[in-house]
Amino acid sequence: MHVVMTGAGNIAGGVLEAAFIPYQKSEIERIWGVRPVLSALFDQHTFLHWPNGDGPSKEEIGKIIAVKSDPTGYHALPGGVTYSDPFAPLAMAPDRNTTLMDLTAGDTLELLLEAARQGLPIVSINKVPFVHKDPKLSQQLVLYPWLRFGATAGGPLGFPQQMLRLAQAGYRINEVEGIFSGTNSRLLSDLTDAIHAPDRAGDADLVEIFVQVVRQLQRSGCTEPNAWDDLCGADVGVKVRNLGRIASLTELTPESKWRWTRTQEDQIRPIIPSPDHKIKTQDDLERHIRANGRELVKTIASLDPARKRMVYWARFGPEGYGVGPNIINHTHPFFNLQPGENAMRVQTDGGCLPFQWSGTGAGRPETAGEARAGMIELMRLRTTLPR
């Protein structure tokens, strides 16, 4: 079954490796009875098209990944054709069973809505369309039955998809709390371990430990290219707005109870205070940590890690939301999460116990795996449709 992919970045490279090299395609066909064929791959300026045959070879995929993972700047797809029509990916769909995979980070709402109007299956890891300024358009997309968008928050945990299942099952959602940034979860966990390490020198500068922990996470690929994009919490705010809009589907008149004002939507606290200038370089980031990170490390140093920990935590309900660093004690259900794990706890009415999910959070293999799973699920459902 055919696939048209938009986006050729880090996650797209993971999906290419996980689903489209010949060995993986054969394994998917052997286990699940469907064979994905990549018909076209688009980045923001160029595209590649395989109209006949079985999609790109392993060598072609390796070349694409090598070129697109170069951190020095934008590089066009090797041998790609330029395009300007934002709806060009749909013209490359051979039939109505072609899956459109949105692996970008831009405003693709119109493209996805048009794909839905044409009845195409859609897999998206892109959060932006689901927090569009017009919530009715985003809601229209969320309710499209041939959409899988779990990877937009929580990676393989699929928080949006879990929330939607609760809404569609008739649960009224009263409050949600969670840890929605695997990066910040690992950062605070690693920082706590480093500060409380038995072999730490007594005169060690705690702020320098903070800088070293951030560098280690960057080297391991756990942060955005500019790590401030993680530390500032903006990414978590987008995820929370997405989940809040899904929660609003549980209300007969959602606008009366779940309409968040701009003031309520600005309750995002970064891990350390925001600067009065834009952080563009690694030197900017490290200077800012040294100038403003002392309060955070002093707080962490004052905690008994066996009884209290700091997490980057979010809570939201009809009245609004809050996102930021928070201290939890050892009785909290999130206390024993492993470094880098995400979690979501949903409180509903009717006397039910809270629903809770936790596990490995976002990352290239995890997010790519969730996207691949959504693609396989949609393909299998399409093959069982009555003729």
Side-chain angles (χ1 to χ4, degrees):
M1 300 183 76
H2 297 281
V3 175
V4 171
M5 185 186 299
T6 62
N10 187 36
I11 303 301
V15 174
L16 287 171
E17 292 174 326
F20 294 106
I21 61 175
Y23 170 76
Q24 292 290 359
K25 288 192 293 186
S26 298
E27 284 295 284
I28 291 171
E29 184 174 26
R30 181 180 67 83
I31 297 170
W32 289 287
V34 293
R35 185 177 181 85
V37 176
L38 186 63
S39 295
L41 172 63
F42 287 76
D43 72 1
Q44 59 263 53
H45 301 300
T46 58
F47 75 95
L48 294 170
H49 186 210
W50 297 273
N52 301 307
D54 204 25
S57 66
K58 182 178 179 180
E59 290 71 26
E60 285 181 284
I61 289 175
K63 190 178 298 184
I64 292 167
I65 293 173
V67 168
K68 300 303 292 186
S69 60
D70 187 330
T72 60
Y74 171 76
H75 299 274
L77 288 166
V81 179
T82 59
Y83 74 99
S84 57
D85 181 2
F87 296 99
L90 302 182
M92 294 298 171
D95 54 51
R96 288 184 65 250
N97 285 326
T98 300
T99 300
L100 176 67
M101 300 190 77
D102 179 13
L103 309 181
T104 67
D107 186 0
T108 56
L109 180 61
E110 291 299 327
L111 173 67
L112 299 187
L113 286 175
E114 181 57 33
R117 292 185 192 104
Q118 295 183 20
L120 301 180
I122 302 170
V123 175
S124 179
I125 69 163
N126 182 5
K127 296 180 281 290
V128 176
F130 302 99
V131 290
H132 191 268
K133 61 184 178 182
D134 186 342
K136 291 184 178 179
L137 289 178
S138 293
Q139 192 174 89
Q140 181 182 338
L141 181 61
V142 165
L143 292 175
Y144 178 56
W146 294 102
L147 168 72
R148 296 296 179 269
F149 66 124
T152 56
L157 299 170
F159 291 151
Q161 217 74 53
Q162 304 290 8
M163 185 86 81
L164 183 60
R165 290 189 181 104
L166 290 179
Q168 291 175 329
Y171 290 97
R172 179 168 294 183
I173 297 169
N174 295 325
E175 185 178 76
V176 181
E177 62 176 319
I179 295 173
F180 300 119
S181 171
T183 298
N184 287 343
S185 172
R186 179 172 290 278
L187 169 64
L188 291 172
S189 179
D190 289 357
L191 185 56
T192 297
D193 291 345
I195 288 173
H196 290 279
D199 57 349
R200 176 177 68 84
D203 59 349
D205 187 336
L206 298 183
V207 176
E208 285 304 312
I209 292 176
F210 190 175
V211 171
Q212 292 301 320
V213 168
V214 171
R215 286 178 182 172
Q216 289 168 8
L217 290 176
Q218 290 173 302
R219 283 195 294 268
S220 64
C222 291
T223 70
E224 296 293 331
N226 182 346
W228 180 250
D229 293 340
D230 295 301
L231 272 62
C232 73
D235 179 64
V236 178
V238 171
K239 293 174 183 176
V240 167
R241 286 196 290 276
N242 179 10
L243 293 170
R245 287 185 175 181
I246 298 169
S248 74
L249 298 174
T250 67
E251 294 294 321
L252 294 176
T253 54
E255 58 274 5
S256 66
K257 189 175 179 184
W258 279 87
R259 177 174 287 174
W260 292 338
T261 65
R262 173 56 59 185
T263 300
Q264 291 168 328
E265 288 192 348
D266 282 340
Q267 304 306 308
I268 300 175
R269 292 180 292 118
I271 283 184
I272 57 176
S274 296
D276 55 8
H277 61 279
K278 192 168 184 179
I279 292 179
K280 297 181 179 179
T281 68
Q282 183 69 17
D283 287 342
D284 290 342
L285 175 64
E286 293 185 4
R287 277 195 297 268
H288 185 63
I289 292 174
R290 292 186 177 101
N292 296 276
R294 195 162 298 280
E295 191 66 32
L296 176 74
V297 294
K298 283 173 60 178
T299 300
I300 293 175
S302 70
L303 300 176
D304 176 1
R307 300 188 63 82
K308 290 186 177 182
R309 296 185 76 89
M310 182 172 286
V311 297
Y312 199 77
W313 175 83
R315 171 183 280 174
F316 61 94
E319 72 285 351
Y321 70 73
V323 176
N326 194 63
I327 296 171
I328 59 175
N329 63 36
H330 66 285
T331 61
H332 195 282
F334 297 162
F335 186 81
N336 290 317
L337 292 179
Q338 297 301 305
E341 286 191 337
N342 286 359
M344 181 173 73
R345 184 176 171 89
V346 180
Q347 183 66 57
T348 63
D349 61 2
C352 297
L353 291 173
F355 295 90
Q356 182 167 321
W357 298 265
S358 63
T360 304
R364 171 177 161 142
E366 292 83 4
T367 303
E370 175 65 14
R372 185 183 92 145
M375 177 195 73
I376 292 171
E377 180 188 3
L378 290 171
M379 287 181 174
R380 294 185 70 197
L381 288 171
R382 283 294 174 115
T383 60
T384 61
L385 285 174
R387 299 290 181 184

